[in-house]
Structures are given as C-alpha cells and as structure tokens.
C-alpha cells in the first residue's frame, strides 16, 4: 500500500515543478554569469609550436613507423 501513496506524492511534486513558475532574480543571475574577473584559462599565453624539452611523446608510440 505504501508504493501507491509514494508514487502519488512523486507525481504531485513532479507536476508542481513542471507547471510552477518561480520568481527568478535576474540581476543575481546576471552578476553570476557576467563575473568581474576573466576565467583562468583566458590569462594563459598561447603555447608555442616548439617542444618544451620532453622527448617522450605518448602518442608517438601509435604513429606509423617508416619502413
């Protein structure tokens, strides 16, 4: 008997969530999305094409070998 009551409650909650329209604080959302500082990845300098001295490349093991 408990499962029917539980399912009815879940259905009621789902229906309330689906059809309710909560008040949205748009100014808080704008502050959160706007932010004042740029993301960390934007502060890095672009990497150069030269190798950083690491002679081992794990993808090199998969490269075709010249015959």
């Amino acid at each position: 008997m408990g499962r029917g009551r539980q399912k009815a409650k879940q259905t009621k909650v789902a229906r309330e969530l689906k059809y309710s329209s909560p008040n949205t604080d748009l100014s808080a959302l704008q502050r959160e999305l706007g932010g004042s500082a740029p993301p960390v990845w934007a502060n890095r300098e672009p990497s150069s094409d030269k190798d950083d001295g690491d002679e081992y490349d794990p993808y090199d093991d998969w490269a075709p070998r010249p015959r």
Side-chain angles (χ1 to χ4, degrees), residues 4-61:
R5 190 173 288 168
Q6 180 182 6
K7 183 171 182 186
K9 185 173 182 178
Q10 288 176 347
T11 303
K12 178 183 175 186
V13 170
R15 191 172 292 127
E16 287 174 0
L17 289 173
K18 182 177 181 181
Y19 295 112
S20 69
S21 57
N23 294 334
T24 304
D25 187 4
L26 296 177
S27 60
L29 179 62
Q30 184 178 12
R31 282 192 310 270
E32 183 178 338
L33 294 177
S36 59
V40 175
W41 55 265
N43 294 334
R44 289 190 290 167
E45 294 184 19
S47 62
S48 62
D49 291 337
K50 68 177 185 172
D51 194 15
D52 292 336
D54 186 15
E55 294 182 15
Y56 178 71
D57 183 8
Y59 295 106
D60 195 32
D61 295 339

